[in-house]
Amino acid sequence: MMRLYLLCFLFVPILFSCGTTKTVSKVQLQAQSVSCAPTTPRNYVWQTPNLHRPLTPAMLARFSKKSWQLASLLGIEGELQQLMQLEEKGKGTFTTEERLQWLELKQHVAERVDLASLEISATAAELDCEEERADQYKELLREKVSKAERKITVAAIITGAATGLLVGVMNLSNNGNENLSEEIAITGGIAEATLGILSLKIDRNIVFSHSRNHLQDIWFGADSTSNFPPLIWYYLNLPFNQGAPSLRESLKAQWQSMDQLALKERGSLYFGEGGKYSADELDDRSAMLDQLEARISLMKKDLQLITKELIEGKPGSN
């Protein structure tokens, strides 16, 4: 009977550590998913812009090529041309009615630029939210795996110490229990090996879902998408220089050059609706979202250009 008690005592640390994988699994079910999607659906009717229409010297003298391309994206090419006509006419006689018309056109253009800026900010905020969500799951997973590893480490230390102590007691007692000492040593070794196997079986993944996947649209290049406003989607997909890759294509090439992403093996995970992620895979997804957010935010620099050129043109005085 005593032999049974001693052997069971050695396996107590194993029982102490057996709940580690269950803890991570329970956290997966309890982790709350924050919705980063817009509160209102995007319903747009949009015509694909032409960024490479012929431009006259007069048009290029008033606005740069990039500004005309942005005007095409914003649907305000006609307004800019009317502004040019009024400004040209105002060099001679500029009536009050023409001045008001010029101001109305200028206000309309400014409002479209402001709206575009808000759409950029909203999309960047959504991407930042998705990035933060991936980071939160990553930290949650790493914390739980770390706790599981600490439990197993403590159990292994206790098992080793208990084995050595019991074997020492048996040897010092010198009451003919040599066989028992050997059994304790063997059992202790088995217990430590079991703890080592448990450490390898810790669930180091967490279920992470993303039914709205911006990365999927960038990777596969859909003709249309509800994840991006049309203005931003065309900005990413249409090349501003003929023969050069679009921003979406260059971003995809950048991802392909990053070997650590192993996109051939993990593409269905990153660009699907989600699944079981490791901490490193969540880190990769966060990095891709950050790169996409940076590209979209840079669009504001182009909007700044068209605003600057718009302000510089002033009608003639009477």
Side-chain angles (χ1 to χ4, degrees):
M1 183 64 69
M2 180 180 179
R3 180 176 299 181
L4 180 61
Y5 285 145
L6 292 173
L7 296 180
C8 290
F9 175 72
L10 290 175
F11 278 94
V12 169
I14 295 179
L15 297 176
F16 166 76
S17 63
C18 280
T20 54
T21 56
K22 293 182 181 178
T23 302
V24 177
S25 177
K26 190 180 295 184
V27 170
Q28 292 177 8
L29 296 176
Q30 293 176 346
Q32 296 181 350
S33 176
V34 178
S35 176
C36 301
T39 55
T40 55
R42 291 170 176 146
N43 296 315
Y44 293 95
V45 177
W46 203 267
Q47 184 176 359
T48 304
N50 182 3
L51 302 186
H52 302 289
R53 289 176 179 168
L55 300 174
T56 65
M59 294 170 69
L60 291 174
R62 180 61 180 87
F63 294 99
S64 64
K65 179 181 178 181
K66 176 60 70 70
S67 290
W68 283 108
Q69 289 175 325
L70 285 173
S72 180
L73 287 175
L74 296 171
I76 54 173
E77 286 179 301
E79 285 81 351
L80 292 189
Q81 291 177 358
Q82 292 180 52
L83 278 170
M84 287 179 56
Q85 294 172 0
L86 286 172
E87 289 172 358
E88 182 65 25
K89 187 175 181 180
K91 290 179 180 180
T93 57
F94 203 88
T95 65
T96 301
E97 182 180 354
E98 290 170 340
R99 180 184 292 275
L100 289 175
Q101 185 181 1
W102 184 88
L103 290 173
E104 288 176 358
L105 288 169
K106 185 178 179 181
Q107 180 65 29
H108 177 72
V109 171
E111 288 174 353
R112 292 300 297 271
V113 171
D114 288 342
L115 178 60
S117 181
L118 289 175
E119 288 185 339
I120 294 169
S121 297
T123 304
E126 184 179 351
L127 291 171
D128 186 63
C129 176
E130 288 290 344
E131 180 187 348
E132 182 65 25
R133 197 165 70 94
D135 287 338
Q136 289 176 350
Y137 270 70
K138 176 188 66 178
E139 294 304 320
L140 176 65
L141 176 59
R142 285 179 173 169
E143 179 184 352
K144 296 307 174 181
V145 170
S146 178
K147 286 182 178 179
E149 290 175 340
R150 286 198 299 269
K151 279 188 176 182
I152 291 177
T153 300
V154 171
I157 293 173
I158 295 174
T159 300
T163 301
L165 179 61
L166 291 174
V167 171
V169 170
M170 291 296 102
N171 291 335
L172 290 173
S173 64
N174 194 21
N175 56 2
N177 289 328
E178 294 181 1
N179 291 337
L180 179 58
S181 298
E182 292 177 358
E183 290 176 5
I184 292 174
I186 293 172
T187 304
I190 294 173
E192 290 184 7
T194 303
L195 289 169
I197 293 173
L198 284 177
S199 68
L200 296 176
K201 287 186 172 293
I202 295 175
D203 190 357
R204 302 174 186 273
N205 297 285
I206 191 169
V207 175
F208 183 70
S209 301
H210 37 73
S211 56
R212 282 175 55 82
N213 194 347
H214 299 78
L215 301 182
Q216 181 184 60
D217 293 333
I218 297 298
W219 186 256
F220 294 108
D223 292 334
S224 61
T225 173
S226 61
N227 291 332
F228 295 92
L231 169 68
I232 295 176
W233 187 238
Y234 286 130
Y235 179 82
L236 293 172
N237 278 272
L238 298 177
F240 282 83
N241 297 316
Q242 290 180 320
S246 66
L247 290 175
R248 184 191 68 80
E249 291 170 337
S250 63
L251 185 57
K252 180 179 177 180
Q254 181 179 346
W255 292 346
Q256 289 174 319
S257 66
M258 299 171 65
D259 294 336
Q260 68 267 28
L261 294 181
L263 294 179
K264 291 183 179 180
E265 299 178 2
R266 307 176 191 174
S268 59
L269 180 65
Y270 293 132
F271 309 123
E273 294 188 356
K276 282 193 171 184
Y277 274 83
S278 68
D280 288 342
E281 288 166 345
L282 285 169
D283 199 34
D284 289 340
R285 177 173 179 80
S286 177
M288 288 190 284
L289 287 168
D290 184 62
Q291 292 165 5
L292 176 57
E293 180 190 351
R295 295 291 179 98
I296 291 174
S297 296
L298 284 174
M299 187 178 178
K300 285 194 174 183
K301 292 184 65 177
D302 294 333
L303 291 178
Q304 183 183 20
L305 174 65
I306 192 173
T307 302
K308 179 176 180 295
E309 293 179 352
L310 176 66
I311 294 173
E312 288 179 349
K314 297 180 180 179
S317 57
N318 288 335

